[in-house]
Amino acid sequence: MPQEVEISILPQELEQDALIEKKLRKKLRWPKDQQLAHWHVRRKSLDARGRQPLFRLRIVAYKAGEVVPETPSIIAALPQVQDRPKVLIVGAGPAGYFAALELIELGLKPIILERGKDVQARRRDLRAIQQFGEVNPHSNYCFGEGGAGTYSDGKLYTRAKKRGSIEKSLRLFVEHGAPSDILVDAHPHIGSNKLPKVVAAMRETIESKGGEIHFGAWVTDFLIEEKQGQRTLKGLRTADGQEWWGQGVILATGHSARDIFRLLDQKKVAIEAKPFALGVRIEHPQALIDELQYGIKERPKELPASSYSLVCQVENRGVFSFCMCPGGLIVPASTAPGELVVNGMSMSRRDSPFANSGMVVAVDMEDLKEYAHLGPFAAMSFQQEVEQALFQAGDGSQAAPAQRLTDFVKGKPSSSLPKTSYIPGIYSARLDQLLPAGISRRLQQGLQQMGKKMRGYYTEEAQLIGVESRTSSPIRIPRESDNCMHPELQALFPCGEGAGYAGGIISAAMDGQKVAQALAKWIAVQ
C-alpha cells in the first residue's frame, strides 16, 4: 500500500529532490534497505504563519513492487457525437465549455452559441477599451470565448467542493495545456497569458468530437411551445434571425448578460433579485504586501507574490476582500458604453509591482427597499445605477476615480495619487461621496478594522479605484434541486454564475458538468 505523509521544506529547497526524498524517508521511518520506487507531491501549500515561510508538501510514496496507477486521458475517451441528439448551450465561458465536454462524454451533441468573439479576436476589443475607452457590448472582459475568467486572472480555487469533481475539472485544464502544478497547488492559478491557449484547445476538442461553437451568435429570443398548460423551450433565435433547435437549453451566459435577464422576464419566465456585493478595487505596492505577509524586506524568487484574505462585519453586513490578484493589474470590465466597472487580473508569473483586490460590501435586499418596485431587477438596477454614476463623474473615457485609502476613510480629497496598474488612467475624486452612502460608510469602518488585523495594510501608499460591482450575478434564475431545470419552463437548464449558482472558474465549470448530467438524465426519460 502506498503511504501518504506531509513534510515541510524551506522555499529554497523546493527544487531539491534529493533533499525532499531524504526528509520523506525520515518521515516514513523506512529502513535504509527499503527501496523508494516512486513518490509524487499530491498537495502543495505555503504556510507563512511562522517566522520563516514554509512549503508543506503532502507526498504519496511507493515501495519497490507497488504499482503506480496510471491516470487515463479524459479527452481520449470522449466519443464522436456528430450525429447524436443536439443540446443548445448559451455562453462559451467555463460553465458552457465544461457542460459541452460533459455532454460529449454522455453521448450528446453540444451546440454553443456565444455572443462574443473567439479568444484571440477578443484581444482587439480589450485593447480598444484599454487604450481608447471604446466598449464593444458583445466583446469585452466579460463577453467572449472563455468568459470573464479568461482575461481576469484565472484563479482555480473554490470552496464549493460538493458541487462536483474538482479533480476532473483541473485534469481537463491540464489535458488542454494548463501547467500540471494546478493539480497539486492549494490555490491553483493559470494566468491570463496562458488561459487563452487552454480555452482555444478546449474549443478544438469540442469541435473535433462533433460539437459546434458559433461566435457572434447573440441570442435574442426563446422559442417556447405551450401545450396542455405546459411550456417547453424548444429552441433559440439569434440576432441574425437564425433559429436553433435542440432537446434542451443550458443557459450559461455569465453574470453580466442583462439583456438575457430582461428577455426571460419578457417571456414570463420567473427570475429573482439576488444579493451581491459592491465596492472598489484596492491597490497596494506588492512589495508592501510581501513584507506584511512574509515578514521580510525583500521576497526571494522562490516565494510567490503574497496574497491576503480579509473579512469583517460592519452594521450587520460583510465587508471583505474579493478576487485578490497578487502581482496583478486592474482592468476595465464595463460591458456597455456609459458605465464604469473595474476588475482585477494577473499573468501566470504574477510579476507586476502591484497587488490589487476587490474590497466590497454585501448588498442585501433590505438595502434595496427603494428599488423594490422593480421586482426581480431591484439589485441589477442598483448595480447599473452606481456604474453609470461613476462613469458620468468622469470625462467620458474609461479613466476611473481614485482616492488614497487614508483619505477615503477620513473623507477628504487626495491631492496626489500613487502610481497604478490601471491602463486607462485614474483621476482624484471623492469616492467616499460617489459611492452609495451605505457602501462608503461600511467600507470606511471595515478598512480601519482590517488595518488592525493586518498591521501596515491601512496606509496612504494604498489607493481605492471604483467601482468593483460585478462580484456575482444580481439575478438568480430558479431551478429545481433534483434535475436542475427551471420549475416553470421545461428544457431550460440555468447554469453557472449568471444563473446564481457559481462564483469563479472552477465552481462554474463544475456546475456546467452537474447541469449537463442532469439534462442527459432528463432527455433519457423523455
Side-chain angles (χ1 to χ4, degrees), residues 141-162:
Y141 274 97
C142 290
F143 296 148
E145 185 179 26
T150 299
Y151 289 108
S152 55
D153 198 58
K155 281 184 283 292
L156 303 180
Y157 177 70
T158 180
R159 292 185 176 89
K161 302 185 187 299
K162 294 182 180 179

Side-chain angles (χ1 to χ4, degrees), residues 81-82 86-93 96-101 103-104 109-119 144-147 176 198-218 238 242 244:
V81 295
Q82 176 65 43
K86 299 175 182 178
V87 172
L88 304 178
I89 299 174
V90 186
Y97 267 14
F98 277 77
L101 291 167
L103 288 171
I104 292 171
K109 176 176 179 172
I111 299 177
I112 300 176
L113 306 178
E114 167 56 53
R115 71 193 301 160
K117 300 177 182 178
D118 68 76
V119 75
E145 185 179 26
H176 286 98
V198 175
V199 169
M202 287 184 176
R203 181 210 320 152
E204 292 171 7
T205 294
I206 292 166
E207 291 179 330
S208 72
K209 298 299 180 179
E212 296 179 17
I213 302 170
H214 301 272
F215 298 107
W218 174 27
T238 45
Q242 186 168 352
W244 305 81

Side-chain angles (χ1 to χ4, degrees), residues 276-333:
F276 70 116
L278 185 143
V280 294
R281 276 270 146 187
I282 183 167
E283 188 170 56
H284 287 79
Q286 181 62 51
L288 173 62
I289 299 299
D290 289 340
E291 183 178 350
L292 297 181
Q293 293 294 74
Y294 293 143
I296 48 181
K297 280 289 184 183
E298 188 171 338
R299 170 171 55 92
K301 61 181 176 58
E302 294 86 2
L303 282 175
S306 180
S307 63
Y308 61 82
S309 177
L310 295 168
V311 62
C312 66
Q313 288 286 315
V314 178
E315 297 176 12
N316 297 316
R317 294 289 180 271
V319 180
F320 55 95
S321 60
F322 170 83
C323 185
M324 198 272 148
C325 299
L329 314 168
I330 298 177
V331 297

Side-chain angles (χ1 to χ4, degrees), residues 70-91:
E70 291 186 12
T71 304
S73 166
I74 299 173
I75 297 175
L78 294 177
Q80 179 58 235
V81 295
Q82 176 65 43
D83 301 317
R84 300 295 297 160
K86 299 175 182 178
V87 172
L88 304 178
I89 299 174
V90 186

